[in-house]
């Protein structure tokens, strides 16, 4: 969504690096580039003026002139100002003190209200609530049926007394849903209302009548983040005609420039509360302004990644896997498959990698990553017998041929998986025991990466022994010794991991030894 903006801002900050002081010309040039980047991202002009003005004012202050690294200070200012225009703090739902909490969804047709209603219901269900969906969109063909299907997918009941398709009174349906919720003890009611292709008087009057009939605790305006500048106009029209408490952005996974997200909060004064970023029912969460600002500046979103991992991973299973890694040969292909299945629960590998800091520069590789690679690995492992998974060493030539036939793959694919598993297991076992990564120098103070006092002492001792090597006083022999040392150093540089200067590294082989798909060799570079 914010790819264009992220790239332009990254290029702007590159020009500031290495400068001990920032001149007035530097500040003006940076502000001009930020202004162009925001306008290209479809951010509304008043918002751009306010944002750039705040950045320039702070850039000329003492917090930058007195900083040890002015470039980093400018990035910090831009990040803080982005957080401000995105809403500052995370806005959470208000729940009713007594009776069911009523949430009404409003917005144009095609914004994704019906799908989002089910996503919100699933999210509330995971929070321990007992939501009920209400089909009050009686105009759009099959809107009621769509909500019923989505409700069944997420395991949430749907109140739909009218068939829709142009028949029935949505105000009566909304009013009756409150009695139904009290009778069946639902603590949250989510009302899906009708939309139009554009803002008109009929749409506004119907939405206002439903609002007056049920007195909702929260009115959420659902807007398609891909409609650009028009999102702000529509948001203002709904604010004047119906009124709402918060905004929900849908289709954040699209390829639009994202100006709507940066503009709505500043123009309407209403916070963005939720964001929908995919087609799955789980692709929905609270909108965190600070995390979105970090994503835009390619700083990653580790907090969201950690939260998703906590939901998806079985802590007991992960602990068992860690204990097996501490035992030589204890980690099996069955354990590897279980861990891989847990990672699959996090969603797309492209999205997961995109949450890591600095991944903006690898956007092309991420977009071209083949998600089916994990399916192929799963098929190969599941074609093995339990004994073969527990002890891959017994997989000989005939077994590999059988496994390849059973998984629909080539024998070479089975060979590659088994070889990569042994290499990866060896590396993980060494890291689990604190022995460091094979072929990589120890890092003092970093457990699992060759760190610690003992590792440092061993390295110092080895280095001392090498340093004591005598050099012949004979000029001819001394030259020969130097040539041999140079040749040995060149051989070491050819090691996939070894050369610290990065010369002659075979990144594809390194990716293979790290049990990563070959596509990831670019990330190692």
């Amino acid at each position: 969504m914010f790819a264009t903006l992220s790239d332009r801002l990254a290029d702007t900050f590159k020009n500031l690096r290495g400068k001990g002081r920032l001149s007035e010309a530097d500040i003006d040039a940076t502000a001009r580039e930020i202004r162009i980047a925001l306008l290209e991202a479809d951010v509304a002009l008043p918002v751009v003026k306010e944002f750039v003005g705040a950045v320039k004012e702070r850039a000329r202050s003492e917090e930058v002139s007195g900083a040890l690294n002015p470039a980093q200070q400018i990035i910090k200012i831009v990040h803080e100002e982005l957080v401000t225009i995105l809403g500052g703090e995370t806005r959470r739902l208000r729940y009713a003190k007594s009776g069911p909490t009523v949430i009404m969804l409003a917005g144009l047709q095609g914004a994704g209200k019906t799908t989002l209603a089910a996503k919100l219901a699933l999210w509330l269900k995971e929070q321990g609530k007992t939501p009920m969906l209400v089909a009050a969109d009686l105009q759009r063909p099959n809107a009621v049926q769509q909500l019923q299907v989505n409700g069944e997918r997420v395991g949430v009941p749907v109140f739909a007394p009218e068939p829709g398709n142009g028949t029935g009174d949505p105000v009566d349906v909304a009013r009756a849903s409150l009695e139904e919720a009290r009778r069946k003890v639902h603590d949250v009611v989510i009302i899906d209302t009708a939309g139009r292709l554009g803002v008109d008087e009929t749409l506004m009057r119907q939405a206002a009548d439903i609002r007056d009939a049920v007195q909702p605790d929260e009115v959420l305006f659902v807007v398609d983040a891909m409609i650009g500048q028009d999102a702000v106009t529509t948001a203002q029209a709904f604010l004047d005609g119906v009124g709402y408490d918060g905004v929900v952005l849908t289709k954040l996974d699209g390829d639009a420039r994202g100006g709507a997200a940066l503009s709505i909060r500043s123009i309407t004064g209403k916070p963005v509360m939720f964001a929908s970023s995919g087609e799955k029912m789980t692709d929905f969460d609270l909108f965190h302004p600070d995390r979105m600002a970090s994503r835009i500046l390619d700083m990653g979103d580790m907090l969201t990644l950690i939260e998703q991992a906590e939901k998806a991973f079985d802590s007991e299973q992960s602990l068992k896997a860690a204990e097996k890694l501490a035992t030589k040969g204890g980690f099996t292909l069955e354990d590897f498959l279980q861990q891989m299945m847990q990672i699959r629960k996090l969603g797309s590998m492209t999205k997961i990698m995109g949450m890591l800091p600095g991944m903006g520069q690898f956007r092309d590789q991420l977009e071209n990553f083949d998600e089916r690679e994990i399916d192929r690995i799963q098929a190969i492992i599941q074609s093995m017998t339990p004994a073969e998974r527990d002890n891959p060493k017994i997989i000989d030539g005939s077994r590999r041929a059988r496994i390849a036939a059973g998984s629909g793959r080539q024998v070479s694919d089975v060979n590659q998986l088994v070889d990569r598993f042994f290499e990866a297991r060896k590396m993980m076992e060494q890291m689990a025991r604190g022995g460091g990564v094979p072929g990589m120098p120890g890092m003092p103070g970093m457990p699992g990466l060759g760190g610690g006092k003992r590792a440092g002492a061993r390295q110092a001792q080895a280095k001392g022994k090498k340093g004591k090597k005598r050099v012949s006083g004979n000029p001819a022999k001394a030259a020969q010794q130097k040539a041999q040392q140079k040749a040995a150093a060149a051989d070491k540089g050819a090691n996939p991991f070894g050369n610290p200067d990065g010369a002659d590294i075979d990144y594809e082989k390194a990716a293979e030894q790290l049990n990563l798909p070959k596509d990831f060799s670019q990330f190692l570079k």
Side-chain angles (χ1 to χ4, degrees):
M1 173 60 75
F2 296 103
T4 304
L5 178 59
S6 297
D7 292 343
R8 285 300 299 259
L9 290 176
D11 291 339
T12 301
F13 297 142
K14 279 180 185 176
N15 298 328
L16 296 177
R17 291 188 184 127
K19 293 193 176 184
R21 291 185 60 188
L22 294 182
S23 64
E24 192 72 22
D26 291 331
I27 294 173
D28 289 338
T30 302
R32 183 171 58 253
E33 290 299 321
I34 292 173
R35 182 184 298 109
I36 293 171
L38 292 172
L39 290 173
E40 285 184 347
D42 271 345
V43 180
L45 185 59
V47 180
V48 174
K49 288 182 176 179
E50 181 183 349
F51 181 86
V52 174
V55 171
K56 284 182 72 174
E57 183 180 351
R58 291 184 62 183
R60 292 190 177 103
S61 66
E62 292 183 4
E63 67 177 308
V64 173
S65 60
L68 294 175
N69 191 325
Q72 290 182 357
Q73 199 68 18
I74 290 288
I75 295 172
K76 177 175 177 287
I77 289 171
V78 172
H79 180 266
E80 290 174 354
E81 292 300 325
L82 274 175
V83 173
T84 300
I85 68 169
L86 285 169
E89 296 181 355
T90 303
R91 161 75 156 81
R92 300 179 185 273
L93 280 174
R94 292 189 301 255
Y95 295 104
K97 293 181 180 178
S98 61
T101 299
V102 181
I103 301 172
M104 172 180 160
L105 304 181
L108 293 180
Q109 185 173 314
K113 290 192 303 299
T114 304
T115 302
L116 187 125
K119 289 184 176 183
L120 176 59
L122 177 60
W123 184 83
L124 287 166
K125 187 179 174 183
E126 291 173 346
Q127 310 299 313
K129 303 294 182 180
T130 55
M132 181 183 77
L133 292 164
V134 179
D137 180 358
L138 305 179
Q139 275 72 42
R140 182 168 63 86
N142 297 321
V144 174
Q145 288 81 354
Q146 182 187 351
L147 188 65
Q148 288 173 329
V149 169
N150 287 339
E152 188 176 343
R153 286 175 63 189
V154 299
V156 173
V158 178
F159 180 68
E162 298 288 347
N165 297 323
T167 61
D169 186 350
V171 178
D172 290 342
V173 170
R175 192 182 289 112
S177 69
L178 300 186
E179 293 300 322
E180 179 74 3
R182 293 188 186 98
R183 188 172 67 84
K184 294 190 175 180
V185 199
H186 291 285
D187 54 11
V188 181
V189 175
I190 302 170
I191 302 175
D192 177 31
T193 65
R196 293 289 190 279
L197 294 176
V199 175
D200 61 20
E201 186 180 345
T202 305
L203 168 65
M204 293 301 178
R205 185 169 59 251
Q206 186 183 97
D209 289 345
I210 294 174
R211 178 202 62 199
D212 295 339
V214 299
Q215 294 295 310
D217 299 282
E218 296 276 15
V219 178
L220 302 182
F221 172 62
V222 183
V223 61
D224 183 345
M226 297 182 69
I227 66 175
Q229 291 276 355
D230 197 44
V232 177
T233 306
T234 307
Q236 190 62 52
F238 267 88
L239 185 63
D240 297 336
V242 182
Y244 51 82
D245 303 292
V247 178
V248 183
L249 290 173
T250 63
K251 304 177 187 177
L252 274 178
D253 56 326
D255 57 359
R257 296 173 181 178
L262 297 171
S263 304
I264 286 178
R265 171 67 176 82
S266 294
I267 298 295
T268 65
K270 299 298 180 181
V272 178
M273 293 176 59
F274 295 97
S276 174
S277 59
E279 296 181 359
K280 294 181 180 179
M281 289 295 166
T282 52
D283 293 334
F284 174 86
D285 208 346
L286 281 168
F287 183 86
H288 300 279
D290 53 340
R291 301 184 191 181
M292 184 57 72
S294 295
R295 287 195 197 188
I296 292 171
L297 296 179
D298 198 22
M299 295 177 180
D301 188 359
M302 294 303 295
L303 285 175
T304 299
L305 185 58
I306 291 167
E307 287 175 359
Q308 290 183 2
E310 286 176 344
K311 290 180 186 176
F313 278 72
D314 184 335
S315 57
E316 186 177 342
Q317 194 179 75
S318 298
L319 185 61
K320 288 179 180 177
E323 290 173 351
K324 287 186 175 183
L325 279 172
T327 307
K328 189 173 182 179
F331 190 78
T332 66
L333 275 168
E334 183 64 37
D335 300 318
F336 173 69
L337 179 62
Q338 290 176 359
Q339 292 296 306
M340 193 169 65
M341 290 300 97
Q342 290 199 69
I343 292 174
R344 284 296 294 269
K345 293 178 185 177
L346 291 174
S348 163
M349 284 296 294
T350 302
K351 284 187 178 180
I352 295 170
M353 296 299 293
M355 291 183 190
L356 299 176
M359 279 296 163
Q361 58 187 315
F362 302 119
R363 192 173 292 112
D364 291 339
Q365 292 94 319
L366 284 173
E367 289 175 356
N368 294 324
F369 175 67
D370 189 358
E371 298 281 351
R372 293 172 298 177
E373 180 67 22
I374 297 176
D375 295 328
R376 297 183 188 112
I377 294 172
Q378 180 182 352
I380 293 172
I381 297 176
Q382 289 182 334
S383 296
M384 299 176 183
T385 65
E388 289 167 345
R389 294 183 205 178
D390 289 338
N391 185 14
K393 290 182 179 179
I394 68 173
I395 304 177
D396 55 19
S398 61
R399 289 175 183 264
R400 295 185 187 214
R402 191 205 75 245
I403 293 167
S407 60
R409 308 301 302 164
Q410 301 293 323
V411 175
S412 58
D413 296 327
V414 180
N415 293 339
Q416 187 182 28
L417 173 62
V418 174
D419 293 344
R420 282 163 59 181
F421 171 75
F422 283 131
E423 290 290 341
R425 184 172 70 176
K426 180 180 176 183
M427 184 180 297
M428 289 188 290
E429 286 174 352
Q430 189 165 344
M431 290 174 68
R433 294 194 299 268
V437 179
M440 293 184 72
M443 298 174 67
M446 294 290 287
L449 292 176
K453 294 181 180 180
R454 291 184 180 179
R458 286 197 300 269
Q459 289 169 5
Q461 187 179 7
K463 189 174 180 182
K465 287 181 179 179
K466 288 179 182 177
K468 291 179 182 179
K469 191 170 182 180
R470 295 182 60 186
V471 179
S472 174
N474 186 318
K477 285 187 177 181
Q480 186 179 7
Q481 285 178 342
K482 285 183 180 179
Q484 290 173 347
Q485 290 172 2
K486 193 172 182 181
D491 289 339
K492 184 181 179 183
N495 185 295
F497 301 98
N499 188 356
D501 296 328
D504 302 322
I505 295 178
D506 185 344
Y507 288 102
E508 286 195 4
K509 191 172 180 182
E512 187 177 320
Q513 291 190 0
L514 285 169
N515 197 33
L516 295 171
K518 286 187 178 180
D519 298 16
F520 278 55
S521 62
Q522 294 297 321
F523 301 150
L524 295 176
K525 294 180 182 180

